[in-house]
Amino acid sequence: MDRRTSSPTSGEALLFLTDEQLKQGIEAMFFAYRGFTADPDRILADMAYGRAHHRAIHFIGRAPGTTVNNLLNILGVTKQSLNRVLRTLIADGLVESKIGRADKRERHLNLTLAGRNLEQTLSDAQRARMRAAFRDAGPDAVAGFRTVLEAMMDSEMRNSYARLKDSTS
């Protein structure tokens, strides 16, 4: 294996990555994230929205009827921060909030038609980028990529991720 690259010659070599290879992986994650968010950022900038709005729209769309508390847990933000984002999305007609039937303190969130259309536009842009990357990398790399991402999650986040996958399968 060439120590200057992050491409080991076998799977076993992955267990012995150098600090430099790990730094290269970290940097690749930063740049990949910038690419992954670039298209939605451009779309949202025209609306004076940011990534917090995107994340809220994404997860409300993935779990229609989710509660504000569930969204707080998924996003890991403060209630104050989320309320600011939700107020804007509700005022702009992208999200609707309904009082819970069983528990009147709960607020259930759903995307409106306009919210679903925006979510679709944002997701289409990201899916196109991921589809091209996965196609270029090949099926083994796709499975490995998911394994690495899941292994990087804290156990609580991995549980939230598993619940979200289970609820939408």
Side-chain angles (χ1 to χ4, degrees), residues 3-4 7 16 19 25-26 29 41 47 57-58 67 77 79 92 97 112 121 123 128 137 149 158 162:
R3 293 177 63 84
R4 292 170 290 156
S7 301
F16 305 103
D19 284 347
I26 291 166
M29 284 278 294
D41 284 352
M47 305 173 76
I57 289 167
H58 175 83
T67 63
V77 297
K79 189 179 270 190
D92 291 348
S97 173
T112 63
T121 300
S123 291
L149 290 178
R158 198 171 15 262

Side-chain angles (χ1 to χ4, degrees), residues 17 24 28 31 36-37 47 56 59-60 67-68 82 85 87 93 99 102 106 135 139 152 154-155 160-161 163 165:
L17 292 173
Q24 289 173 5
F31 285 105
F36 180 69
T37 57
M47 305 173 76
F59 285 107
I60 294 168
T67 63
V68 171
L82 181 58
V85 167
R87 270 196 308 273
I99 296 171
E106 285 185 338
R135 186 176 42 247
M152 287 175 44
D154 292 336
S155 62
S160 293
Y161 174 66
R163 282 193 302 274
K165 278 190 346 186

Side-chain angles (χ1 to χ4, degrees), residues 60-162:
I60 294 168
R62 285 287 285 161
T66 192
T67 63
V68 171
N69 281 336
N70 186 50
L71 194 57
L72 280 167
N73 290 332
I74 289 171
L75 298 177
V77 297
T78 64
K79 189 179 270 190
Q80 181 181 13
S81 174
L82 181 58
N83 281 336
R84 235 180 326 216
V85 167
L86 288 177
R87 270 196 308 273
T88 304
L89 295 174
I90 290 168
D92 291 348
L94 298 170
V95 171
E96 63 182 7
S97 173
K98 292 186 179 176
I99 296 171
R101 289 184 185 174
D103 185 343
K104 302 292 183 200
R105 296 170 298 175
E106 285 185 338
R107 299 292 180 263
H108 293 266
L109 304 170
N110 287 286
L111 296 178
T112 63
L113 178 59
R116 288 192 302 274
N117 289 338
L118 177 58
E119 190 281 327
Q120 183 73 44
T121 300
L122 298 170
S123 291
D124 284 350
Q126 289 185 310
R127 274 194 296 276
R129 188 176 289 263
M130 289 211 61
R131 186 175 290 112
F134 283 163
R135 186 176 42 247
D136 290 348
D140 291 340
V142 172
F145 178 70
R146 277 202 196 105
T147 300
V148 169
L149 290 178
E150 289 177 15
M152 287 175 44
M153 295 176 195
D154 292 336
S155 62
E156 184 180 319
M157 285 295 97
R158 198 171 15 262
N159 291 337
S160 293
Y161 174 66

Side-chain angles (χ1 to χ4, degrees), residues 1-19:
M1 172 171 59
D2 182 352
R3 293 177 63 84
R4 292 170 290 156
T5 68
S6 59
S7 301
T9 55
S10 72
E12 187 174 298
L14 290 174
L15 300 176
F16 305 103
L17 292 173
T18 66
D19 284 347

